[in-house]
mmCIF file of all heavy atoms in Angstrom:
data_model
loop_
_atom_site.group_PDB
_atom_site.id
_atom_site.type_symbol
_atom_site.label_atom_id
_atom_site.label_comp_id
_atom_site.label_asym_id
_atom_site.label_seq_id
_atom_site.Cartn_x
_atom_site.Cartn_y
_atom_site.Cartn_z
ATOM 1 N N MET A 1042 0.800 -1.198 0.008
ATOM 2 C CA MET A 1042 -0.008 -0.005 -0.003
ATOM 3 C C MET A 1042 0.887 1.282 -0.024
ATOM 4 O O MET A 1042 1.944 1.279 0.593
ATOM 5 C CB MET A 1042 -0.890 -0.001 1.276
ATOM 6 C CG MET A 1042 -1.622 1.340 1.397
ATOM 7 S SD MET A 1042 -2.480 1.517 2.980
ATOM 8 C CE MET A 1042 -3.875 0.511 2.734
ATOM 9 N N LEU A 1047 -4.913 12.761 0.264
ATOM 10 C CA LEU A 1047 -5.464 12.965 1.603
ATOM 11 C C LEU A 1047 -6.561 12.026 1.924
ATOM 12 O O LEU A 1047 -6.686 11.472 3.020
ATOM 13 C CB LEU A 1047 -5.947 14.455 1.726
ATOM 14 C CG LEU A 1047 -6.694 14.841 2.970
ATOM 15 C CD1 LEU A 1047 -5.899 14.544 4.237
ATOM 16 C CD2 LEU A 1047 -7.100 16.319 2.960
ATOM 17 N N ASN A 1048 -7.343 11.733 0.859
ATOM 18 C CA ASN A 1048 -8.472 10.813 1.063
ATOM 19 C C ASN A 1048 -7.964 9.364 1.399
ATOM 20 O O ASN A 1048 -8.639 8.652 2.172
ATOM 21 C CB ASN A 1048 -9.288 10.733 -0.213
ATOM 22 C CG ASN A 1048 -10.649 10.011 0.068
ATOM 23 O OD1 ASN A 1048 -11.304 10.367 1.047
ATOM 24 N ND2 ASN A 1048 -10.924 9.027 -0.696
ATOM 25 N N VAL A 1051 -7.565 9.623 5.156
ATOM 26 C CA VAL A 1051 -8.875 9.749 5.790
ATOM 27 C C VAL A 1051 -9.597 8.376 5.779
ATOM 28 O O VAL A 1051 -10.160 7.912 6.785
ATOM 29 C CB VAL A 1051 -9.731 10.840 5.171
ATOM 30 C CG1 VAL A 1051 -11.147 10.813 5.698
ATOM 31 C CG2 VAL A 1051 -9.116 12.241 5.429
ATOM 32 N N TYR A 1054 -8.030 5.743 8.177
ATOM 33 C CA TYR A 1054 -8.505 5.935 9.588
ATOM 34 C C TYR A 1054 -9.977 5.635 9.736
ATOM 35 O O TYR A 1054 -10.412 5.152 10.800
ATOM 36 C CB TYR A 1054 -8.136 7.354 10.103
ATOM 37 C CG TYR A 1054 -6.712 7.448 10.484
ATOM 38 C CD1 TYR A 1054 -5.673 7.664 9.606
ATOM 39 C CD2 TYR A 1054 -6.309 7.204 11.857
ATOM 40 C CE1 TYR A 1054 -4.344 7.701 9.958
ATOM 41 C CE2 TYR A 1054 -4.978 7.248 12.185
ATOM 42 C CZ TYR A 1054 -4.020 7.481 11.292
ATOM 43 O OH TYR A 1054 -2.697 7.490 11.675
ATOM 44 N N ALA A 1055 -10.753 5.867 8.666
ATOM 45 C CA ALA A 1055 -12.175 5.570 8.742
ATOM 46 C C ALA A 1055 -12.359 4.030 8.837
ATOM 47 O O ALA A 1055 -13.258 3.509 9.552
ATOM 48 C CB ALA A 1055 -12.913 6.062 7.495
ATOM 49 N N TRP A 1057 -9.952 1.705 9.956
ATOM 50 C CA TRP A 1057 -9.298 1.011 11.108
ATOM 51 C C TRP A 1057 -9.021 1.879 12.340
ATOM 52 O O TRP A 1057 -8.546 1.403 13.339
ATOM 53 C CB TRP A 1057 -7.945 0.457 10.592
ATOM 54 C CG TRP A 1057 -8.144 -0.417 9.402
ATOM 55 C CD1 TRP A 1057 -7.711 -0.255 8.112
ATOM 56 C CD2 TRP A 1057 -8.821 -1.688 9.313
ATOM 57 N NE1 TRP A 1057 -8.146 -1.248 7.293
ATOM 58 C CE2 TRP A 1057 -8.820 -2.133 8.043
ATOM 59 C CE3 TRP A 1057 -9.500 -2.471 10.314
ATOM 60 C CZ2 TRP A 1057 -9.393 -3.356 7.639
ATOM 61 C CZ3 TRP A 1057 -10.137 -3.682 9.923
ATOM 62 C CH2 TRP A 1057 -10.024 -4.115 8.614
ATOM 63 N N VAL A 1073 -4.799 11.496 17.437
ATOM 64 C CA VAL A 1073 -5.255 12.910 17.646
ATOM 65 C C VAL A 1073 -4.699 13.423 19.002
ATOM 66 O O VAL A 1073 -4.243 14.559 19.040
ATOM 67 C CB VAL A 1073 -6.778 12.963 17.581
ATOM 68 C CG1 VAL A 1073 -7.237 14.394 17.977
ATOM 69 C CG2 VAL A 1073 -7.241 12.644 16.129
ATOM 70 N N LEU A 1078 -1.057 17.028 21.905
ATOM 71 C CA LEU A 1078 0.031 17.259 22.834
ATOM 72 C C LEU A 1078 1.193 17.940 22.179
ATOM 73 O O LEU A 1078 1.869 18.808 22.790
ATOM 74 C CB LEU A 1078 0.471 15.918 23.456
ATOM 75 C CG LEU A 1078 -0.577 15.210 24.359
ATOM 76 C CD1 LEU A 1078 -0.212 13.751 24.546
ATOM 77 C CD2 LEU A 1078 -0.610 15.947 25.693
ATOM 78 N N ASP A 1082 2.713 21.694 23.133
ATOM 79 C CA ASP A 1082 4.123 21.965 23.396
ATOM 80 C C ASP A 1082 4.765 22.833 22.330
ATOM 81 O O ASP A 1082 6.026 22.890 22.210
ATOM 82 C CB ASP A 1082 4.896 20.662 23.503
ATOM 83 C CG ASP A 1082 4.562 19.950 24.841
ATOM 84 O OD1 ASP A 1082 3.926 20.552 25.721
ATOM 85 O OD2 ASP A 1082 4.914 18.788 24.970
ATOM 86 N N SER A 1087 5.162 20.276 10.972
ATOM 87 C CA SER A 1087 5.607 18.944 10.483
ATOM 88 C C SER A 1087 5.716 17.966 11.641
ATOM 89 O O SER A 1087 5.370 16.807 11.539
ATOM 90 C CB SER A 1087 6.947 19.045 9.795
ATOM 91 O OG SER A 1087 7.915 19.657 10.544
ATOM 92 N N LEU A 1090 2.195 16.926 12.583
ATOM 93 C CA LEU A 1090 1.748 15.890 11.660
ATOM 94 C C LEU A 1090 2.349 14.550 11.903
ATOM 95 O O LEU A 1090 1.755 13.505 11.764
ATOM 96 C CB LEU A 1090 1.993 16.405 10.228
ATOM 97 C CG LEU A 1090 0.983 16.113 9.148
ATOM 98 C CD1 LEU A 1090 -0.412 16.220 9.593
ATOM 99 C CD2 LEU A 1090 1.278 16.919 7.911
ATOM 100 N N THR A 1112 0.573 -9.403 17.332
ATOM 101 C CA THR A 1112 1.226 -8.939 18.591
ATOM 102 C C THR A 1112 2.441 -9.787 19.006
ATOM 103 O O THR A 1112 3.164 -9.445 19.914
ATOM 104 C CB THR A 1112 0.223 -8.950 19.777
ATOM 105 O OG1 THR A 1112 -0.353 -10.213 19.849
ATOM 106 C CG2 THR A 1112 -0.869 -7.906 19.597
ATOM 107 N N THR A 1120 8.699 1.713 10.208
ATOM 108 C CA THR A 1120 9.290 1.699 8.860
ATOM 109 C C THR A 1120 8.173 1.723 7.803
ATOM 110 O O THR A 1120 8.209 2.432 6.769
ATOM 111 C CB THR A 1120 10.172 0.441 8.697
ATOM 112 O OG1 THR A 1120 11.027 0.344 9.780
ATOM 113 C CG2 THR A 1120 10.946 0.447 7.403
ATOM 114 N N GLY A 1122 5.229 3.024 8.191
ATOM 115 C CA GLY A 1122 4.674 4.347 8.175
ATOM 116 C C GLY A 1122 5.531 5.325 7.328
ATOM 117 O O GLY A 1122 5.005 6.076 6.467
ATOM 118 N N LEU A 1167 8.604 -3.644 23.268
ATOM 119 C CA LEU A 1167 10.035 -3.313 23.416
ATOM 120 C C LEU A 1167 10.883 -4.558 23.249
ATOM 121 O O LEU A 1167 11.928 -4.508 22.531
ATOM 122 C CB LEU A 1167 10.268 -2.646 24.776
ATOM 123 C CG LEU A 1167 11.724 -2.412 25.113
ATOM 124 C CD1 LEU A 1167 12.315 -1.256 24.292
ATOM 125 C CD2 LEU A 1167 11.898 -2.080 26.653
ATOM 126 N N GLY A 1172 14.747 -4.440 22.578
ATOM 127 C CA GLY A 1172 15.055 -4.061 23.993
ATOM 128 C C GLY A 1172 15.786 -2.763 24.073
ATOM 129 O O GLY A 1172 16.043 -2.058 23.022
ATOM 130 N N GLU A 1178 25.100 1.944 21.469
ATOM 131 C CA GLU A 1178 23.958 2.150 20.518
ATOM 132 C C GLU A 1178 23.286 3.459 20.809
ATOM 133 O O GLU A 1178 22.886 4.188 19.905
ATOM 134 C CB GLU A 1178 22.978 1.004 20.621
ATOM 135 C CG GLU A 1178 23.489 -0.316 20.077
ATOM 136 C CD GLU A 1178 22.537 -1.475 20.407
ATOM 137 O OE1 GLU A 1178 21.956 -1.455 21.559
ATOM 138 O OE2 GLU A 1178 22.397 -2.380 19.616
ATOM 139 N N SER A 1183 21.759 9.059 19.441
ATOM 140 C CA SER A 1183 21.613 10.450 19.822
ATOM 141 C C SER A 1183 22.368 11.408 18.900
ATOM 142 O O SER A 1183 22.114 12.586 18.879
ATOM 143 C CB SER A 1183 22.113 10.698 21.298
ATOM 144 O OG SER A 1183 23.436 10.434 21.360
ATOM 145 N N PRO A 1186 20.569 12.977 12.954
ATOM 146 C CA PRO A 1186 19.677 14.112 12.734
ATOM 147 C C PRO A 1186 18.256 13.787 13.069
ATOM 148 O O PRO A 1186 17.819 12.686 12.767
ATOM 149 C CB PRO A 1186 19.855 14.394 11.224
ATOM 150 C CG PRO A 1186 20.842 13.445 10.675
ATOM 151 C CD PRO A 1186 21.114 12.407 11.691
ATOM 152 N N TRP A 1197 5.215 12.154 23.692
ATOM 153 C CA TRP A 1197 3.781 12.388 23.422
ATOM 154 C C TRP A 1197 3.063 11.033 23.249
ATOM 155 O O TRP A 1197 1.924 10.849 23.697
ATOM 156 C CB TRP A 1197 3.531 13.295 22.238
ATOM 157 C CG TRP A 1197 4.148 14.650 22.378
ATOM 158 C CD1 TRP A 1197 4.058 15.425 23.511
ATOM 159 C CD2 TRP A 1197 4.858 15.422 21.400
ATOM 160 N NE1 TRP A 1197 4.741 16.632 23.293
ATOM 161 C CE2 TRP A 1197 5.191 16.634 22.003
ATOM 162 C CE3 TRP A 1197 5.211 15.191 20.066
ATOM 163 C CZ2 TRP A 1197 5.890 17.605 21.274
ATOM 164 C CZ3 TRP A 1197 5.910 16.167 19.400
ATOM 165 C CH2 TRP A 1197 6.237 17.343 20.008
ATOM 166 N N ASP A 1199 3.753 8.279 24.603
ATOM 167 C CA ASP A 1199 3.510 7.670 25.909
ATOM 168 C C ASP A 1199 2.360 8.282 26.724
ATOM 169 O O ASP A 1199 1.692 7.623 27.456
ATOM 170 C CB ASP A 1199 4.823 7.739 26.730
ATOM 171 C CG ASP A 1199 5.936 6.895 26.156
ATOM 172 O OD1 ASP A 1199 5.618 5.859 25.544
ATOM 173 O OD2 ASP A 1199 7.094 7.306 26.226
ATOM 174 N N TRP A 1206 -10.862 11.720 26.378
ATOM 175 C CA TRP A 1206 -10.279 12.942 25.756
ATOM 176 C C TRP A 1206 -10.541 12.873 24.265
ATOM 177 O O TRP A 1206 -10.000 13.633 23.502
ATOM 178 C CB TRP A 1206 -8.816 13.090 26.049
ATOM 179 C CG TRP A 1206 -8.310 14.506 25.830
ATOM 180 C CD1 TRP A 1206 -9.091 15.641 25.874
ATOM 181 C CD2 TRP A 1206 -6.979 14.889 25.492
ATOM 182 N NE1 TRP A 1206 -8.239 16.770 25.601
ATOM 183 C CE2 TRP A 1206 -6.949 16.304 25.325
ATOM 184 C CE3 TRP A 1206 -5.802 14.200 25.277
ATOM 185 C CZ2 TRP A 1206 -5.813 16.999 24.985
ATOM 186 C CZ3 TRP A 1206 -4.641 14.889 24.925
ATOM 187 C CH2 TRP A 1206 -4.668 16.274 24.828
ATOM 188 N N ASP A 1209 -10.888 13.146 16.773
ATOM 189 C CA ASP A 1209 -11.245 12.718 15.446
ATOM 190 C C ASP A 1209 -10.231 13.273 14.439
ATOM 191 O O ASP A 1209 -9.810 14.438 14.616
ATOM 192 C CB ASP A 1209 -12.640 13.143 15.087
ATOM 193 C CG ASP A 1209 -13.109 12.526 13.760
ATOM 194 O OD1 ASP A 1209 -13.633 11.400 13.809
ATOM 195 O OD2 ASP A 1209 -12.939 13.161 12.720
ATOM 196 N N ILE A 1210 -9.897 12.530 13.424
ATOM 197 C CA ILE A 1210 -8.875 12.933 12.485
ATOM 198 C C ILE A 1210 -9.230 14.292 11.789
ATOM 199 O O ILE A 1210 -8.312 15.066 11.393
ATOM 200 C CB ILE A 1210 -8.657 11.832 11.420
ATOM 201 C CG1 ILE A 1210 -7.270 11.846 10.840
ATOM 202 C CG2 ILE A 1210 -9.683 11.747 10.359
ATOM 203 C CD1 ILE A 1210 -6.277 11.040 11.626
ATOM 204 N N PHE A 1213 -7.522 17.683 12.501
ATOM 205 C CA PHE A 1213 -6.228 18.123 11.883
ATOM 206 C C PHE A 1213 -6.290 18.136 10.338
ATOM 207 O O PHE A 1213 -5.281 18.100 9.658
ATOM 208 C CB PHE A 1213 -5.101 17.194 12.392
ATOM 209 C CG PHE A 1213 -4.779 17.445 13.833
ATOM 210 C CD1 PHE A 1213 -5.441 16.774 14.818
ATOM 211 C CD2 PHE A 1213 -3.933 18.474 14.173
ATOM 212 C CE1 PHE A 1213 -5.213 17.014 16.145
ATOM 213 C CE2 PHE A 1213 -3.656 18.784 15.493
ATOM 214 C CZ PHE A 1213 -4.307 18.044 16.471
ATOM 215 N N TYR A 1220 -0.438 20.322 3.652
ATOM 216 C CA TYR A 1220 0.692 19.585 3.102
ATOM 217 C C TYR A 1220 0.392 19.029 1.719
ATOM 218 O O TYR A 1220 1.203 18.958 0.859
ATOM 219 C CB TYR A 1220 1.126 18.461 4.092
ATOM 220 C CG TYR A 1220 2.073 18.957 5.097
ATOM 221 C CD1 TYR A 1220 1.664 19.721 6.186
ATOM 222 C CD2 TYR A 1220 3.436 18.818 4.947
ATOM 223 C CE1 TYR A 1220 2.533 20.216 7.123
ATOM 224 C CE2 TYR A 1220 4.344 19.335 5.872
ATOM 225 C CZ TYR A 1220 3.873 20.023 6.965
ATOM 226 O OH TYR A 1220 4.758 20.575 7.858
ATOM 227 N N PRO A 1230 3.154 22.011 -13.294
ATOM 228 C CA PRO A 1230 4.301 22.558 -14.063
ATOM 229 C C PRO A 1230 4.244 24.071 -14.197
ATOM 230 O O PRO A 1230 3.230 24.654 -14.109
ATOM 231 C CB PRO A 1230 4.158 21.877 -15.383
ATOM 232 C CG PRO A 1230 2.799 21.284 -15.442
ATOM 233 C CD PRO A 1230 2.283 21.248 -14.045
#
Side-chain angles (χ1 to χ4, degrees):
M1042 174 191 281
L1047 172 55
N1048 193 51
V1051 172
Y1054 278 85
W1057 305 112
V1073 171
L1078 291 164
D1082 287 348
S1087 55
L1090 216 41
T1112 54
T1120 310
L1167 172 71
E1178 288 170 324
S1183 64
W1197 297 319
D1199 293 326
W1206 198 28
D1209 189 88
I1210 206 91
F1213 289 91
Y1220 275 78

